[in-house]
């Protein structure tokens, strides 16, 4: 029993230390931003929302840093729903980031966004694709126009909180944290409305490869 109590005490101390580190991170990286004014209750709220996940708070900071209206977007999280599971909190954050990447609720824009993210997910298990390659695959599919294909670079820019271009690997588009790939897999495999299935994504890649070979082989 004494050993059990010791373990519990150690777990509590570890949680307190994590919360303390997250609080310091918020003060250094979020509170220092222009137009951000966090009171004690706001700080406590964000620490609670993070639930010990540094990836949650660091992703939020990147998202707010790119926001055109930092006060408005931060208030969404300060007034957001309390979720019990840390993974739910992280996925809810990813949902918000994706919604923020769309200036409209246009179905075509949403389908294009989901297709781009689906291709990023499928390619991540082999060799991540560059912006140019992602655009080429969309160009080779009749469901997408040249304008849709041109939007890839803009999507990557808008999703800076979760994606980046690896300059050392031919500008390959990569995720900042593996949990975002888990999030994409969850949405794709569960067949969430608007997301393409794995089969359709592989077909999109296959057809794109065949079209490229047909046009380019001599």
């Amino acid at each position: 029993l004494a050993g059990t109590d010791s373990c519990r005490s150690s777990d509590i101390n570890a949680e307190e230390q994590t919360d303390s580190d997250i609080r310091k991170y918020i003060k250094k990286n979020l509170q220092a931003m222009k137009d951000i004014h966090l009171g004690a209750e706001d700080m406590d709220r964000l620490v609670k929302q993070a639930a010990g996940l540094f990836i949650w708070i660091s992703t939020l900071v990147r998202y707010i840093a790119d926001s055109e209206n930092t006060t408005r977007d931060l208030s969404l999280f300060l007034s957001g729903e309390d979720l019990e599971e840390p993974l739910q909190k992280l996925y809810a954050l990813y949902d918000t980031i994706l919604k923020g990447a769309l200036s409209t609720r246009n179905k075509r824009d949403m389908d294009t966004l989901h297709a781009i993210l689906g291709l990023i997910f499928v390619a991540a298990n082999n060799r991540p694709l560059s912006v140019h390659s992602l655009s080429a695959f969309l160009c080779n599919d009749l469901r997408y126009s040249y304008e849709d294909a041109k939007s890839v670079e803009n999507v990557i820019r808008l999703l800076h909180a979760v994606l980046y271009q690896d300059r050392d690997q031919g500008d390959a588009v990569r995720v900042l944290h593996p949990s975002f790939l888990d999030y994409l897999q969850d949405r794709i495999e569960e067949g969430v409305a608007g997301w393409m299935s794995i089969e359709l994504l592989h077909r999109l890649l296959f057809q794109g490869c065949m079209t490229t070979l047909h046009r380019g082989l001599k």
Side-chain angles (χ1 to χ4, degrees), residues 69-87:
N69 191 327
T70 56
T71 304
R72 178 202 63 196
D73 289 344
L74 182 58
S75 68
L76 294 176
F77 296 95
L78 292 173
S79 61
E81 178 186 1
D82 276 328
L83 299 171
E84 294 296 329
E85 294 294 328
L87 190 60

Side-chain angles (χ1 to χ4, degrees), residues 111-129:
D111 288 345
T112 301
L113 175 67
H114 290 156
I116 294 169
L117 292 173
L119 288 173
I120 291 171
F121 169 74
V122 172
N125 293 322
N126 297 290
R127 183 177 179 180
L129 299 171

